[in-house]
Amino acid sequence: MSAPLDDLDTLVGRIPDGAKVALPPDYSGCAMAAVRTLIKRGVRDLHLVGVPSVGFQGDMLIGAGCVATLETAAVTIGEYGLAPRFTAAIKAGAIRMIDGTCPAIHAGLQAAEKGIPYMPVRGIVGSDLLEQRDDWIVGADPFGGEDGPLVLVKAITPDITLIHAPLADRHGNAWIGVRREMMVMAHAAKTTLVTFEKLYDGDLLANAEMAAGTIPALYIGALAEAENGAWPVGLFGAYPADDAHLRMYIEMAGTDDGFQTYLDDYVLDRKAAE
Amino acid sequence: MTPNRQGEFQPEELLISTIADMLDGLGHVAVGASSPIPGGAALLARARSGGSLRVSMLGSEHHNAFTNGGTELFDCAAQGRIDAFFLGGGQIDGAANINLVGIGDYPQTKVRFPGSFGSAYLYFLVPRVILFREEHTPRVLVPKVDFISAPGTSEPDVYRPGGPYALVTGRCVFTFDKARKGFSLASVHPGHTVDEVAENTGFDFDVSESVDETKPPDAATLALIRGRVADEIAETYPAFATRVFGDNASVA
């Protein structure tokens, strides 16, 4: 059984209000075309998990009122400055924030992919983050090791992982190369939705070089072709970020009105590059 | 070659050179998010290491050999495979606690920073963590941070091979004394003074009777920064490279 090949609207229709959605950072594979479609549909109450941080797509979803909870180690739009809608939402108390740290988010997903309840992590003890988390507890090495406390991080199981891949095939496999945080995300989530840049003519798993960097269809719920689908964020190995556009976004999204104009121009009106 | 006088290099070039001097002789330096100057320093140290220094730079495709996604840096650090890393802070206090979360009462802080990233982990595990923050003002260098993303020191029972090594700002270099849990002023950048540093620092620190001037980059170092380093950093930080190096990045 291979995953169905959807159009973007159908793919995004698989994300219900209130879903816990894992998203990769801007340097990985961001399904921006899908995020715009999701905003256009008016999705609500998402619980975003930024693995381990989230950038432009998180800021857009927050600004558009699609997010109830944000769980991540950071929100950053790379070189371009603070994420304006995220910053405004925190100030207004408009979203529930679950601050984490990168390795704990990876560890929570790794626990989920192994089907175990938690994963021990070094460090963290003495950070104020610990006091905010009821899903992290301090424990000891059960084997009696004496090199100090460990933080036990509860498994993180997203309902959906949403990513953009450079390639996918007709069998529903998606190639992500060395960006293997997306592999862990796919393993950990109940299902994974993939947009992809180009259709690979053949079977990615039949080619050993490609198979090593391929998420098998077994983890994937559906796929949709989206050329230039990460824009204006870059896609590893394919194209760089649209510097001028991201600058313009930061500028516009600095105010409520400016952000609304941005949405009107590039999301709701779909003047985007697709 | 004549030594450079003040004014012949840019502040970013001094910072890159100063931080690179702290990396010479190491085996593996990692660079995290939003870190063009530490990234430049790591690339400079690599350029003059004769191939012995490995650099793993987050966000780079050319200067990052990890093949296991976002987790590999953290796994490497826990095993002791990373010798140096860089952290910043919206606030940094005199005990080297860093705040990457926000100012005011959490969670609805009146100023919000991006978040803690991997600090609450890497600060514990990487032996030489260099704190870097270009802005050196009392609002950044505070007596006590509003939120501890990662603590500067830990209780003896906590596994902590890592921790703060130095704090580099736009005005000076501090070193950190783990036993005393405090900073000492090591050098002041050309054109800046000890008094100015004291006025702009919200925490107490040690000052010896004679504080050195931070060593300016020599001509060979500047050539390397403006040539190879500028080219290499431009892949990950194009806006930074254009702003600091302009056309030099491609012609040197």
Side-chain angles (χ1 to χ4, degrees), chain A residues 27 52-53 72-76 78-80 82 86-87 90-93 97-103 106-107 110 121-129 132 146-149 177-181 184 235-238 243 247, chain B residues 33-34 36 58-61 64 66-71 74-75 78 101 106-122 124-125 145-151 154 157-159 236-241:
Chain A
Y27 55 78
S53 63
T72 190
V75 183
T76 175
E79 276 197 277
Y80 306 96
L82 292 171
F86 161 69
T87 309
I90 290 290
K91 213 169 175 177
M97 184 66 201
I98 306 176
D99 266 288
T101 184
C102 306
H106 291 306
Q110 286 172 315
V121 180
R122 287 272 181 222
I124 304 176
V125 176
S127 164
D128 287 344
L129 292 170
Q132 309 297 332
E146 288 176 353
D147 56 2
V178 297
R179 298 286 10 146
R180 295 184 68 87
E181 60 278 345
V184 179
L235 181 66
F236 59 95
D243 194 84
R247 275 175 207 290
Chain B
S34 312
L58 194 74
S60 171
E61 286 176 42
N64 181 344
F66 292 141
T67 57
N68 199 28
T71 61
F74 303 107
D75 294 346
V101 165
Y106 187 85
Q108 202 172 337
T109 50
K110 61 179 198 259
V111 175
R112 173 70 206 202
F113 308 133
S116 301
F117 290 99
S119 66
Y121 177 93
L122 294 170
F124 290 78
L125 298 169
V145 295
D146 289 10
F147 186 100
I148 298 175
S149 286
S154 296
D157 69 321
V158 174
Y159 179 77
T236 311
Y237 296 104
F240 170 81

Side-chain angles (χ1 to χ4, degrees), chain B residues 113-158:
Chain B
F113 308 133
S116 301
F117 290 99
S119 66
Y121 177 93
L122 294 170
Y123 211 15
F124 290 78
L125 298 169
V126 178
R128 191 172 291 192
V129 174
I130 296 166
L131 300 175
F132 172 67
R133 180 71 203 255
E134 201 166 357
E135 181 183 336
H136 184 145
T137 62
R139 70 170 196 162
V140 173
L141 305 183
V142 297
K144 193 169 187 327
V145 295
D146 289 10
F147 186 100
I148 298 175
S149 286
T153 59
S154 296
E155 297 300 315
D157 69 321
V158 174

Side-chain angles (χ1 to χ4, degrees), chain B residues 16-202:
Chain B
I16 286 172
S17 163
T18 300
I19 295 171
D21 287 347
M22 300 175 183
L23 307 174
D24 286 334
L26 299 181
H28 189 177
V29 175
V31 184
S34 312
S35 303
I37 288 174
L43 294 168
L44 173 60
R46 182 177 71 177
R48 61 193 189 195
S49 75
S52 67
L53 176 63
R54 182 183 298 281
V55 172
S56 297
M57 190 153 70
L58 194 74
S60 171
E61 286 176 42
H62 301 154
H63 311 292
N64 181 344
F66 292 141
T67 57
N68 199 28
T71 61
E72 195 169 356
L73 165 66
F74 303 107
D75 294 346
C76 270
Q79 294 176 304
R81 293 181 196 268
I82 309 280
D83 300 315
F85 189 74
F86 308 92
L87 291 171
Q91 291 180 324
I92 300 169
D93 70 23
N97 299 310
I98 61 174
N99 173 6
L100 295 158
V101 165
I103 296 174
D105 289 335
Y106 187 85
Q108 202 172 337
T109 50
K110 61 179 198 259
V111 175
R112 173 70 206 202
F113 308 133
S116 301
F117 290 99
S119 66
Y121 177 93
L122 294 170
Y123 211 15
F124 290 78
L125 298 169
V126 178
R128 191 172 291 192
V129 174
I130 296 166
L131 300 175
F132 172 67
R133 180 71 203 255
E134 201 166 357
E135 181 183 336
H136 184 145
T137 62
R139 70 170 196 162
V140 173
L141 305 183
V142 297
K144 193 169 187 327
V145 295
D146 289 10
F147 186 100
I148 298 175
S149 286
T153 59
S154 296
E155 297 300 315
D157 69 321
V158 174
Y159 179 77
R160 186 154 194 183
Y165 175 79
L167 164 60
V168 179
T169 74
R171 300 183 201 269
C172 71
V173 176
F174 295 104
T175 51
F176 189 73
D177 180 347
K178 255 183 200 173
R180 198 174 51 77
K181 299 188 180 183
F183 287 106
S184 303
L185 185 60
S187 70
V188 174
H189 300 338
H192 299 275
T193 65
V194 175
D195 286 348
E196 174 204 325
V197 166
E199 273 169 34
N200 287 283
T201 307

Side-chain angles (χ1 to χ4, degrees), chain A residues 37-72:
Chain A
T37 309
L38 201 52
I39 291 172
K40 201 175 175 191
R41 197 195 84 200
V43 71
R44 286 289 175 269
D45 296 329
L46 295 178
H47 175 144
L48 298 185
V49 184
V51 184
S53 63
V54 71
F56 183 64
Q57 52 185 341
D59 202 59
M60 290 253 294
L61 285 164
I62 291 166
C66 306
V67 178
T69 301
L70 175 63
E71 176 175 2
T72 190

